[in-house]
Amino acid sequence: MNDRSELLSQLPLRENLRGLSPYGAPQIDVPIQLNVNENTHPLPTTVVEAIAQEVAKAATSLNRYPDREFTELRELLADYLGHGLSTDNIWAANGSNEILQQILQAFGGPGRSLMSFGPTYSMYPLLASGTDTAYIAGKRAEDFTLSAESAAEQVRKNKPNIVFLCSPNNPTGTALGLDVITEVYDAMSEHNGVVIVDEAYAEFSLANTKSALTLLEGRQRLIVSRTMSKAFGLAGARVGYLAAAPEVTDAIRLVRLPYHLSAVTQATAIAALKNIELLLAQVEDIKTQRDRIVERLKSLGLKPSVSDSNFVFFGGLEDPHAIWEGLLEAGIIVRDNGIPGTLRVTAGTESETTAFLDRLAELLGADK
């Protein structure tokens, strides 16, 4: 145990936080960073200028608290999502992680439980610990898929208060069928449980993949979580949001901090939403690079999963850590999630993708 860890252990921490490590992917300064699923495309100049103008306007009144209900932002988000949603259905916070945390603050806590199906987003158990919510690790099939029958059976057996369904799933990249969501919701309805579908990567989905937004009507305890970090390229701005029944957003208001969404954050998000066409054009390029990665990995004899996201999870590696280190030596960082035989790579720009694929081919002893 190092000195800092020993000192930390001396503090009167809650027992369920002892021995935990904070979330964090490696932060290594290399030219090509393809490990945290960011949108690696720089924001278009027009969008940067629009953000600067909105932020400058907000700066003139920073001596005052911002709009506590961030009304304009909610209006724009409702228009963007469609599906008959209004401002009453929308809530936003500082990244989708805060959205999930607020949900747990409202519906979780001591004596309650959260279930998700691993391997999945590693923040889920940490969010559970932070809110003193018991975490139940559900299971996927050996190929990392999750069937409606299996998911519903596990829910009925464990009776969690909350279920997180990551779709497209991180780190595997594949979206869930709507039947999985409806079967889980029906199973949770037997004990008045809440279901959250985390759609952080939804904008990158394949053409035949449907969003859980289509299921919201008539399902009071279904929540769909989204983010502006990925498709919108606003990872540094920290804006996440949810769509749900109006009474759900009322529940979140009970736990939100006063004026939690700053005027600068609101201005940045509003400017981006007013230039949505420019940002979504980048999404199409990223999807092209993602599909290119999938096809090349197949030709190299590897096993990429079907990807509805801006990254590709792939197996078939005898020594993934050696490959990871070989890529790093070339100034390229990808993600090792600790799943045997696999790595995960973000789809970057065309030049970044080319550099990754060429170096990977070298490491595998194949022709470029």
Side-chain angles (χ1 to χ4, degrees):
M1 180 181 291
N2 61 41
D3 290 342
R4 289 281 292 273
S5 297
E6 186 173 348
L7 291 171
L8 174 62
S9 70
Q10 296 170 9
L11 293 175
L13 276 175
R14 296 201 322 256
E15 287 303 316
N16 70 312
L17 295 181
R18 291 191 179 279
L20 295 182
S21 299
Y23 172 85
Q27 294 193 109
I28 301 174
D29 188 14
V30 294
I32 301 177
Q33 299 185 30
L34 304 177
N35 65 324
V36 289
N37 300 339
E38 297 162 317
N39 181 336
T40 69
H41 293 60
L43 288 176
T45 302
T46 301
V47 179
V48 173
E49 292 172 350
I51 290 173
Q53 290 175 7
E54 288 282 351
V55 170
K57 185 169 67 174
T60 63
S61 58
L62 286 180
N63 59 310
R64 302 290 187 181
Y65 287 118
D67 175 8
R68 187 174 59 236
E69 293 295 312
F70 42 93
T71 308
E72 184 179 4
L73 175 57
R74 286 164 53 225
E75 289 173 350
L76 290 171
L77 286 170
D79 288 342
Y80 167 64
L81 291 180
H83 296 283
L85 298 170
S86 71
T87 55
D88 289 339
N89 300 109
I90 305 298
W91 187 253
N94 295 283
S96 60
N97 285 322
E98 187 178 44
I99 287 289
L100 299 176
Q101 182 183 61
Q102 289 178 340
I103 291 169
L104 287 171
Q105 287 174 319
F107 300 108
R112 297 194 175 190
S113 59
L114 162 68
M115 184 177 193
S116 64
F117 300 88
T120 192
Y121 185 31
S122 59
M123 268 301 297
Y124 295 159
L126 294 178
L127 288 167
S129 294
T131 56
D132 208 3
T133 305
Y135 183 74
I136 301 169
K139 296 181 179 180
R140 292 172 176 261
E142 288 187 7
D143 62 357
F144 307 120
T145 57
L146 181 64
S147 71
E149 180 182 11
S150 172
E153 180 182 351
Q154 292 182 66
V155 164
R156 288 191 170 94
K157 177 181 177 181
N158 290 280
K159 294 182 172 55
N161 299 97
I162 304 166
V163 166
F164 282 175
L165 296 173
C166 194
S167 180
N169 187 47
N170 180 9
T172 57
T174 304
L176 295 173
L178 293 186
D179 61 326
V180 178
I181 299 166
T182 56
E183 288 293 325
V184 167
Y185 186 87
D186 289 346
M188 290 288 283
S189 296
E190 296 172 11
H191 57 274
N192 204 34
V194 179
V195 178
I196 296 87
V197 184
D198 181 355
E199 291 192 340
Y201 302 94
E203 284 88 352
F204 302 102
S205 292
L206 298 168
N208 60 347
T209 300
K210 294 183 179 180
S211 168
L213 292 170
T214 61
L215 302 175
L216 282 175
E217 187 174 356
R219 292 181 172 87
Q220 182 189 42
R221 289 164 290 95
L222 179 63
I223 303 171
V224 179
S225 172
R226 292 281 188 98
T227 183
M228 296 184 74
S229 293
K230 310 302 182 181
F232 289 78
L234 294 182
R238 311 308 302 130
V239 184
Y241 58 102
L242 65 76
E247 53 268 37
V248 169
T249 64
D250 288 342
I252 301 301
R253 284 179 176 86
L254 299 175
V255 299
R256 61 100 181 269
L257 295 174
Y259 309 103
H260 71 289
L261 212 57
S262 79
V264 172
T265 299
Q266 292 182 43
T268 300
I270 286 168
L273 285 161
K274 288 179 177 178
N275 290 273
I276 189 66
E277 295 83 3
L278 289 171
L279 295 174
L280 292 185
Q282 289 189 334
V283 168
E284 293 308 310
D285 182 59
I286 293 167
K287 289 166 70 173
T288 296
Q289 299 310 316
R290 173 202 64 198
D291 295 342
R292 179 184 167 208
I293 291 171
V294 169
E295 292 308 311
R296 181 59 175 139
L297 293 181
K298 288 179 180 177
S299 73
L300 290 171
L302 300 175
K303 299 175 181 178
S305 296
V306 175
S307 178
D308 282 274
S309 55
N310 71 331
F311 59 87
V312 180
F313 176 82
F314 60 100
L317 298 169
E318 292 184 9
D319 189 345
H321 190 67
I323 297 295
W324 186 89
E325 288 185 330
L327 289 165
L328 189 62
E329 289 172 1
I332 305 165
I333 185 169
V334 299
R335 188 65 175 268
D336 184 350
N337 291 100
I339 301 172
T342 72
L343 291 172
R344 191 195 71 196
V345 60
T346 305
T349 62
E350 182 177 6
S351 61
E352 289 172 333
T353 300
T354 297
F356 161 71
L357 292 173
D358 287 352
R359 178 58 174 165
L360 181 62
E362 289 177 0
L363 293 169
L364 294 174
D367 294 331
K368 292 184 182 180

